[in-house]
Amino acid sequence: MSETRRLYFDDACLLEFDAEVVERREHESHPAVVLDRTAFYPESGGQPWDRGTLGGVPVLQVLDLEGAILHVLDGPAPEGRVHGAVDRAVRFDHMQQHTGQHVLSQAFWELLKGETRSFHMGPDLSTLEIGLPKISDADCDRVEDRANAVVWEDRQVKTYFVPEERIGEVPLRRPPKKQGLLRVVEVDGFDYSACGGTHVRRTGEIGLIRLGGVEKIRGNLRFEFLCGGRALCDYRAKDRTVRRLAASFSCSAADAGGQVERISAEGKALKKRARRLEERLAAFEAAEIVRAAPGRVIAGVLEDKTPEEARFLALNIVRRGDFAVAYGASGESQGHVILARAESLKADLRQAVPAVAAVVPVKGGGGPSLVELVAADKSRLGEAVEAAARWLAEHP
Ligand SMILES: [Zn+2]
């Protein structure tokens, strides 16, 4: 295939262009074309491909096949002369993230001697892997401050080609991966990288650079980061969340985090207390039920109890005498049948399962003295409990 002329090398702001279709083919059952020249950036170097249209047909994917750039299309491939239009918003977003990455990488290197190991630009977040074993919050802030200072200085971002044999004269941050004529992207006097991506013209266009979460990976640190429009959207969303929290707690935004922690700790303590109270209540309830029990078998559907509460009550009852219990209780979407008997009784409750399953399909099981069955169909819980109670009456 013939080499495609990359218009974005000379001008990353050129979005509309005319070109000649030089080859038509298929890619994963989609039509695809190679042009003599293109402004579309193909996926490469951690940067995703451009979006847009060719001859009015949406471009699904752009691939670099050893110099020839393949445009995969969501419709019939055009022939002859074709007009291309690159999506401006997506391209500019990529330019902001990518140039921001160069600035961040150099800030990590300059301040901490942290080398960039890899870069990935995702649809929402980008990540940068830096060869550092750990980092303090203070150092994160220094790197972020340095990167943003370079943005505010509004330095020019220049691109030029240097032959491989003269690349030693350029103070590249990383040795080049390619050979031959090398494309250098220089953030004026600050960073020099061999790179084929699309970049903004001046660092001011990057906007805010924000470091996000960091995690350890392969002995390095992987940072999330956001630049420009993405940083603005992130700040907007987080600011709204914090203000909503502050309003619901009637506190200042600065105090919202502390309030959440306090309320969460309070919630846990209350849950513990509630469990203790439930246990005491179950003991009283069990005593009352046993007093009024008509005989050995106690059965019913407990409308106001969760399956856990019903199981707890059943176990409390069978500890008080020679009782066998069949309780029904509703879970979130399923019906539960709980069978329990006193250790002094002989019946193996697992053998009661077919009697319940004859009424409604159930899953679950247990041991000889405790069985819990779950039915997807809650509507027949009453009948299922009745069947279980009959079985208990027949099997002392
Ligand atoms: Zn780059």
Side-chain angles (χ1 to χ4, degrees):
M1 265 189 288
S2 49
E3 184 124 341
T4 309
R5 210 182 127 212
R6 297 163 196 246
L7 300 171
Y8 58 84
F9 269 177
D10 303 322
D11 184 2
C13 294
L14 177 80
L15 301 169
E16 303 257 345
F17 65 101
D18 291 298
E20 209 72 47
V21 174
V22 295
E23 198 188 320
R24 303 165 82 214
R25 48 148 78 190
E26 257 206 1
H27 180 81
E28 288 170 1
S29 61
H30 284 285
V33 293
V34 176
L35 308 173
D36 62 340
R37 44 191 239 138
T38 188
F40 278 90
Y41 182 80
E43 183 175 30
S44 124
Q47 181 178 331
W49 63 86
D50 280 325
R51 311 298 155 82
T53 55
L54 264 187
V57 181
V59 174
L60 291 175
Q61 199 180 357
V62 189
L63 299 164
D64 188 347
L65 305 177
E66 291 165 11
I69 296 178
L70 190 67
H71 307 74
V72 184
L73 302 171
D74 189 19
E79 277 180 271
R81 197 121 184 102
V82 66
H83 183 75
V86 174
D87 183 301
R88 181 182 300 272
V90 173
R91 161 65 72 82
F92 187 64
D93 168 56
H94 291 175
M95 285 157 64
Q96 283 189 318
Q97 311 312 312
H98 195 142
T99 318
Q101 177 260 311
H102 284 235
V103 173
L104 259 181
S105 284
Q106 177 58 24
F108 271 112
W109 175 246
E110 184 187 89
L111 295 173
L112 306 171
K113 289 289 169 274
E115 279 180 44
T116 292
R117 297 282 155 80
S118 70
F119 156 58
H120 175 75
M121 193 195 297
D124 305 309
L125 272 180
S126 303
T127 58
L128 191 56
E129 192 178 327
I130 302 288
L132 288 173
K134 59 180 171 23
I135 192 166
S136 65
D137 284 351
D139 276 344
C140 270
D141 291 352
R142 283 172 63 215
V143 168
E144 203 176 61
D145 287 345
R146 177 65 172 133
N148 282 287
V150 171
V151 170
W152 300 333
E153 286 159 9
D154 197 26
R155 297 189 191 215
Q156 197 186 346
V157 179
K158 302 178 249 188
T159 58
Y160 43 86
F161 286 90
V162 177
E164 192 185 350
E165 58 273 15
R166 292 193 56 198
I167 199 69
E169 297 166 23
V170 182
L172 289 183
R173 177 164 38 80
R174 297 168 88 183
K177 285 184 199 154
K178 296 190 172 160
Q179 291 165 329
L181 201 58
L182 295 164
R183 183 175 187 248
V184 174
V185 176
E186 178 188 340
V187 176
D188 190 27
F190 177 68
D191 182 59
Y192 301 78
S193 296
C195 181
T198 55
H199 307 82
V200 295
R201 291 159 296 188
R202 304 192 70 88
T203 56
E205 288 181 285
I206 299 170
L208 181 69
I209 299 179
R210 178 84 181 99
L211 278 177
V214 55
E215 58 174 354
K216 285 188 181 173
I217 178 168
R218 298 181 280 264
N220 299 324
L221 295 178
R222 185 163 65 191
F223 293 87
E224 293 174 350
F225 71 94
L226 300 162
C227 300
R230 294 189 187 195
L232 173 64
C233 288
D234 183 63
Y235 176 62
R236 187 180 287 149
K238 284 179 178 156
D239 183 53
R240 282 198 180 127
T241 303
V242 171
R243 278 189 288 143
R244 208 170 48 234
L245 283 175
S248 69
F249 296 140
S250 307
C251 69
S252 70
D255 289 338
Q259 280 284 10
V260 169
E261 280 167 19
R262 268 194 295 284
I263 285 171
S264 159
E266 239 174 70
K268 273 183 197 152
L270 282 173
K271 240 181 179 166
K272 256 190 190 165
R273 193 170 136 77
R275 196 169 305 134
R276 276 203 308 276
L277 289 173
E278 268 167 21
E279 283 168 16
R280 287 181 60 189
L281 181 64
F284 284 116
E285 254 185 313
E288 195 55 41
I289 289 165
V290 164
R291 216 181 350 264
R296 181 173 53 85
V297 177
I298 296 167
V301 175
L302 307 179
E303 302 288 357
D304 61 340
K305 293 214 185 301
T306 65
E308 292 73 34
E309 289 164 347
R311 187 193 323 116
F312 199 73
L313 180 59
L315 290 172
N316 254 287
I317 291 169
V318 300
R319 275 203 289 272
R320 286 163 191 275
D322 296 338
F323 296 105
V325 177
Y327 274 156
S330 286
E332 265 168 33
S333 61
Q334 298 160 315
H336 290 238
V337 177
I338 293 132
L339 303 178
R341 65 141 169 85
E343 290 302 328
S344 54
L345 300 178
K346 293 285 171 290
D348 185 343
L349 298 184
R350 291 171 295 191
Q351 289 168 7
V353 176
V356 178
V359 176
V360 65
V362 286
K363 283 185 182 165
S369 60
L370 178 68
V371 164
E372 186 159 350
L373 302 170
V374 179
D377 175 12
K378 284 207 289 197
S379 66
R380 310 194 63 189
L381 194 56
E383 289 170 64
V385 170
E386 278 169 28
R390 271 197 302 278
W391 188 92
L392 291 176
E394 288 159 12
H395 299 80

